[in-house]
Amino acid sequence: MSPSTNPGRAGPRAQRFSIRDVVAGASVGLVLIPQSMAYADLAGLPAHYGLYASALPPLAAAFFASSPYLQTGPVALTALLTLGALTPLAAVGSPEYIGLAALLALVVGLARVLVGVLKAGGVAYMMSQPVLMGFTAGAAILILSSQVPAAVGLSAMAPPGGVLQRAGWSLAHVGDWELAAVVLTVGTLGIISLGRRIHPLVPGVLIATVAALLYSTLAGYGGAVVGEVPAGLPSLRVGQPWRALPVLVVPGVVIALVGFAEAASISRTFAAQDRFRWDPHREFVSQGIANLASGLSGGFPVGGSFSRSSINRIAGARTRWSGAVTGLMVVAFLPFASVLAPLPRAVLSAIIVAAVFRLVRLRAMVELWPLSKPQTATAWTTFGLTLLLAPRVDQAILVGVLLSLGIHAWREMSPRCESWVDGDVLHIRPQGVLWFGSAAALEEELLALLPLGDGPNSVQLHLRGLGRIDLSGALGLLQIVEDAEAAGVTVQFREVPSHAERIMGRVFRHGAPLTSTDPRPVPRGDLEDPDEAQESPS
């Protein structure tokens, strides 16, 4: 029985390594080999570097992984972020560029390991869903646009420029399209789509790749091909261009966090469906070790793949060692990798298009509007900046995160107050978060509600609606009490949240001198221990 149809069975981590893991890992490997070459091309690297990023990384990740299903290797969004980070520093595909890609993988790996060891995985959630939604849609459009010239056989003819400009030029020059490249692109997309319709385990990518290789070899395809692919295992290296390390820190951290969001989503979803415990901190370490292995073997930043992880699960994986099988399969293939030299580049473009097309979810951002207009603005702003700032899409993410945090802070700075009069007592119930950013605003609103003239001379503040009260907030309440007393109005607190009892008790005990004839109008029994209430204040 498949894991998704038997929720009552023991969790996958309780299983032992078995032939199921071998079958699942091999199934993923068949898809990963051609797919990794396509993602290397997207990252601006020679295609065979995708094989280097697919050999040791999944093997290394298996020793630390928390999820039994997560498959590590090149992924589209991380490849695009890599391209954006390195394009301003070196010519795409040059030896210096290749060295910078390996160094960037080391930065990403170190950042993820540190986050995992320090158990600071919560920082990944600083990227709100609207930010990720806008960035993913924008990045998907950029990725699709980047593949248009190669898909129609015009990669060599398209003029220099941005991704969108080159795509627009290629689409406008229909008469120059290479018929064979277009047929290969359409045929590859059709085979992949048909394979998905038949069954998720049908290796459409592999079938399309083998068919294209046979066509290119037997028919003598004259269009752009992968070209020379060195045979043999990658050599470990430590001679990266370390002088460029400072400029790679920020994009490396961005890739470390953004790239982990997909891996976290995959692992969390499968853990919930199959009822087993998943440790995000351990997974951060696993993904970090994978990137360190990629950097040391001449690869580029890697992450968790949703499509390959799904294949791994459906194929019957039971333990994290299925990922190791995938890595070993790629390692075993490397001595024979030269057979991929005649593979048409149009096929690699089609593989990327098939993987990324479903990420363009503009409708989801439109549907945010009735839910939250500020968050909708965040999503669309991030989306627009991703397109405008390309290839530096990491900057769009940073702006989106800052905008999201700014909106959150702005909303938390405006607490609301509900008030009513019961007899000669005015009741006020503030709602929100009382912190240093909102203390002044709440103080002003509460003072505006205090009775004037012949109104009630007693006020009760119901604090249950305050989700948090920090020191500045408590001091603001103290100021309100003092101002009210000066106006002849007594103030009492009701429903003090348990999390605020200590800070409230201390502030109102030591915030001003207390005497037996001038007690503070605070219900002491609610704020401090009975033994402490009997002590005379110093």
Side-chain angles (χ1 to χ4, degrees):
M1 184 174 292
S2 67
S4 60
T5 58
N6 188 7
R9 66 175 179 83
R13 291 187 60 192
Q15 304 290 329
R16 293 183 177 181
F17 179 73
S18 68
I19 190 63
R20 289 175 175 264
D21 293 302
V22 176
V23 173
S27 300
V28 174
L30 294 175
V31 175
L32 176 58
I33 289 173
Q35 198 176 64
S36 66
M37 298 181 70
Y39 290 150
D41 188 68
L42 173 61
L45 295 158
H48 63 274
Y49 280 86
L51 298 176
Y52 298 163
S54 305
L56 296 185
L59 184 59
F63 287 90
F64 302 90
S66 175
S67 171
Y69 304 129
L70 186 64
Q71 280 283 344
T72 302
V75 290
L77 291 182
T78 299
L80 178 65
L81 286 167
T82 299
L83 178 69
L86 302 183
T87 299
L89 305 179
V92 173
S94 65
E96 183 180 4
Y97 187 96
I98 294 171
L100 289 171
L103 179 58
L104 183 61
L106 294 178
V107 174
V108 173
L110 181 60
R112 287 183 178 172
V113 169
L114 287 176
V115 170
V117 170
L118 297 176
K119 298 188 181 300
V123 298
Y125 300 105
M126 292 182 66
M127 293 172 292
S128 65
Q129 284 297 317
V131 171
L132 288 175
M133 192 180 297
F135 167 71
T136 301
I141 290 177
L142 291 175
I143 293 172
L144 295 174
S145 300
S146 71
Q147 302 308 306
V148 171
V152 297
L154 297 182
S155 54
M157 296 177 58
V163 168
L164 297 176
Q165 290 85 345
R166 285 172 57 85
W169 184 91
S170 300
L171 292 174
H173 289 73
V174 179
D176 296 326
W177 287 7
E178 181 186 314
L179 179 60
V182 174
V183 171
L184 285 169
T185 299
V186 174
T188 301
L189 290 173
I191 293 174
I192 295 175
S193 177
L194 180 61
R196 288 173 177 169
R197 289 174 179 268
I198 295 174
H199 194 277
L201 290 181
V202 174
V205 172
L206 178 65
I207 295 172
T209 300
V210 172
L213 277 172
L214 292 175
Y215 166 77
S216 179
T217 303
L218 299 178
Y221 176 67
V225 297
V226 169
E228 182 182 359
V229 178
L233 302 177
S235 57
L236 297 180
R237 62 186 73 178
V238 292
Q240 284 80 6
W242 298 102
R243 65 185 183 282
L245 181 61
V247 297
L248 293 180
V249 171
V250 172
V253 172
V254 170
I255 294 175
L257 298 180
V258 174
F260 186 76
E262 183 176 6
S265 175
I266 298 166
S267 301
R268 188 168 54 244
T269 299
F270 290 160
Q273 292 177 355
D274 286 1
R275 299 185 184 180
F276 65 88
R277 191 177 300 279
W278 174 69
D279 186 348
H281 308 301
R282 179 173 171 180
E283 207 69 78
F284 250 113
V285 173
S286 168
Q287 293 293 297
I289 296 296
N291 276 276
L292 292 176
S294 182
L296 292 175
S297 58
F300 57 96
V302 297
S305 167
F306 181 80
S307 60
R308 296 195 299 270
S309 299
S310 297
I311 292 174
N312 193 37
R313 179 171 179 257
I314 295 172
R318 289 293 182 268
T319 71
R320 63 183 187 271
W321 299 111
S322 61
V325 172
T326 301
L328 289 173
M329 185 174 180
V330 177
V331 170
F333 174 77
L334 284 174
F336 312 98
S338 58
V339 300
L340 296 174
L343 181 65
R345 300 189 72 87
V347 174
L348 297 183
S349 295
I351 292 173
I352 294 175
V353 170
V356 174
F357 183 79
R358 290 175 293 180
L359 297 179
V360 184
R361 300 167 182 159
L362 301 182
R363 181 177 178 181
M365 292 193 293
V366 173
E367 293 174 347
L368 284 177
W369 181 256
L371 303 177
S372 173
K373 293 178 177 58
Q375 296 301 331
T376 303
T378 299
W380 282 100
T381 299
T382 306
F383 170 78
L385 289 176
T386 300
L387 298 178
L388 292 174
L389 296 178
R392 294 306 308 271
V393 293
D394 55 312
Q395 296 179 351
I397 296 175
L398 291 176
V399 174
V401 170
L402 292 176
L403 179 60
S404 180
L405 293 176
I407 291 175
H408 176 73
W410 172 72
R411 295 184 66 178
E412 296 295 351
M413 289 178 64
S414 305
R416 303 175 304 277
C417 287
E418 176 186 2
S419 63
W420 69 95
V421 177
D422 184 8
D424 59 350
V425 178
L426 172 64
H427 296 264
I428 303 177
R429 178 181 290 127
Q431 296 179 343
V433 176
L434 188 53
W435 58 299
F436 68 87
S438 62
L442 181 62
E443 180 180 347
E444 181 178 347
E445 186 164 354
L446 289 179
L447 290 176
L449 292 173
L450 290 179
L452 301 175
D454 297 331
N457 57 6
S458 178
V459 174
Q460 291 191 5
L461 287 176
H462 301 259
L463 304 183
R464 182 176 58 185
L466 294 177
R468 182 169 63 88
I469 302 176
D470 69 359
L471 177 60
S472 297
L475 291 174
L477 292 175
L478 176 63
Q479 184 64 48
I480 292 172
V481 170
E482 292 177 343
D483 292 342
E485 286 182 336
V489 177
T490 60
V491 179
Q492 288 186 318
F493 294 108
R494 292 287 182 265
E495 303 169 350
V496 178
S498 58
H499 64 78
E501 289 181 357
R502 175 171 294 185
I503 190 66
M504 289 284 289
R506 290 182 176 180
V507 165
F508 280 85
R509 182 189 306 137
H510 303 296
L514 299 177
T515 65
S516 58
T517 59
D518 183 27
R520 287 290 166 186
V522 182
R524 292 311 202 79
D526 292 341
L527 299 181
E528 50 191 358
D529 295 334
D531 294 339
E532 293 181 345
Q534 297 174 1
E535 297 177 3
S536 298
S538 56

